[in-house]
Amino acid sequence: MDATFFMENQLLALDEAILKSVDQFGHAQPGQLKESMVYSLNTGGKRIRPMLLLATLKALNADIETGLNTAIALEYIHTYSLIHDDLPAMDNDDYRRGKPTNHKAFDEATAILAGDSLLTDAFALIATDSKIENTETKLKLIAELSKAAGSTGMIAGQIMDVESEGKQINLHSLQNIHKRKTGELIRYAIFAGGQIAEASSEVVALLDDFAWTYGIAYQIQNDLQEVMWTDQARGKLNHSDADLDKNTYPSIMGTNGALTALSDKIESCKSILNQIQAIQPAFDVELLAGFLKYLKI
């Protein structure tokens, strides 16, 4: 299946499910809190992480409905991280995807609490999911999401990123930061798809390789946007990383070096997907390979 067709076919339903999920517990949150949560969940975008989870299920010939709540939980975690990342104490961004950031649309306290709510509610979405009958699978999904988002995963990457500002670091250190900050949630998307689909251990290991490689490529592309895209294309002020004196792939490798590294990672992703298909011929290699186009500059 073509990835563009898959995403266009799934995006509207996913968007609706994400917004509907805010009322998951059957009682209303305080008005401004809910409005703030919905505001950041409704900023648009391609929903790469939940889409990768659903596409992994589809590529493995599993029912994508079984992964919907986990995909939404993943988007909750990602959205909370963006709300907090935009705060004055972090990146101090005023706009995201062309809209005022949450703390600008509301206030800092509301933004922090909206992020806290999305983080906490994400785990309930998986724990109460009736479409995943295997309790062991649920526990594994919850535990891995906690690790991916927590103090040894995404948050570790965030603090490492903050601590590296204004310092010269090498490429290995940069990769370690972004493996955690960006790569962990991307890896989780594909890991969760493999777990819910009950893929073989051999396929799961290759999916893991694909996920980590895709995550690095995703960050390289994100860094390249800073120096190659316009403010309008990015939906935020250009060169904000440079203004914060952050280390990026272009700042360490140069723009051409980063472009070459991105191309190499994309080719590695293709190779790994072909290895999966060699093991499991029914695997829809074209579907996940189609996500590589979102890494192009």
Side-chain angles (χ1 to χ4, degrees), residues 265-286:
K265 293 300 179 185
I266 290 172
E267 290 305 311
S268 294
C269 283
K270 292 177 183 177
S271 174
I272 295 166
L273 292 176
N274 287 332
Q275 291 177 59
I276 297 173
Q277 191 179 47
I279 297 169
Q280 187 172 323
F283 176 72
D284 189 347
V285 66
E286 295 301 324

Side-chain angles (χ1 to χ4, degrees), residues 152-206:
T152 60
M154 179 184 68
I155 292 175
Q158 289 278 29
I159 191 68
M160 291 163 68
D161 192 30
V162 170
E163 290 175 345
S164 72
E165 289 176 12
K167 302 176 183 177
Q168 286 191 331
I169 63 173
N170 58 31
L171 182 59
H172 175 76
S173 296
L174 182 68
Q175 288 175 333
N176 192 33
I177 290 170
H178 290 304
K179 180 179 181 181
R180 300 184 187 207
K181 181 180 177 182
T182 303
E184 286 282 2
L185 291 191
I186 289 175
R187 181 257 174 183
Y188 179 83
I190 296 167
F191 162 84
Q195 291 299 311
I196 296 169
E198 299 181 349
S200 70
S201 58
E202 195 173 6
V203 168
V204 165
L206 285 168

Side-chain angles (χ1 to χ4, degrees), residues 42-232:
N42 199 29
T43 54
K46 295 183 287 291
R47 311 277 194 194
I48 288 290
R49 291 158 190 80
M51 281 293 183
L52 274 171
L53 193 160
L54 299 179
T56 300
L57 283 168
K58 183 70 174 177
L60 293 168
N61 299 298
D63 181 3
I64 63 175
E65 287 295 317
T66 58
L68 183 58
N69 271 17
T70 307
I72 294 171
L74 179 56
E75 188 68 3
Y76 272 30
I77 298 284
H78 174 59
T79 302
Y80 120 77
S81 73
L82 297 181
I83 293 173
H84 285 190
D85 201 37
D86 288 336
L87 288 166
M90 299 287 284
D91 285 354
N92 195 24
D93 281 325
D94 293 343
Y95 292 92
R96 181 169 291 278
R97 293 176 184 148
K99 291 174 57 176
T101 48
N102 197 294
H103 67 278
K104 288 295 182 180
F106 297 90
D107 55 64
E108 289 183 37
T110 301
I112 291 169
L113 293 171
D116 292 345
S117 298
L118 290 168
L119 168 63
T120 309
D121 290 352
F123 296 100
L125 273 171
I126 301 174
T128 60
D129 189 353
S130 61
K131 294 174 183 174
I132 301 176
E133 297 179 357
N134 190 315
T135 301
E136 186 177 340
T137 299
K138 281 187 182 179
L139 290 173
K140 191 175 291 187
L141 291 171
I142 292 169
E144 286 295 322
L145 184 55
S146 175
K147 290 177 184 176
S151 61
T152 60
M154 179 184 68
I155 292 175
Q158 289 278 29
I159 191 68
M160 291 163 68
D161 192 30
V162 170
E163 290 175 345
S164 72
E165 289 176 12
K167 302 176 183 177
Q168 286 191 331
I169 63 173
N170 58 31
L171 182 59
H172 175 76
S173 296
L174 182 68
Q175 288 175 333
N176 192 33
I177 290 170
H178 290 304
K179 180 179 181 181
R180 300 184 187 207
K181 181 180 177 182
T182 303
E184 286 282 2
L185 291 191
I186 289 175
R187 181 257 174 183
Y188 179 83
I190 296 167
F191 162 84
Q195 291 299 311
I196 296 169
E198 299 181 349
S200 70
S201 58
E202 195 173 6
V203 168
V204 165
L206 285 168
L207 285 172
D208 216 43
D209 288 344
F210 171 78
W212 286 126
T213 306
Y214 190 95
I216 293 171
Y218 189 88
Q219 185 61 50
I220 295 172
Q221 189 247 21
N222 187 268
D223 286 354
L224 282 166
Q225 289 178 15
E226 288 274 344
V227 295
M228 298 182 69
W229 287 24
T230 64
D231 293 356
Q232 183 177 7

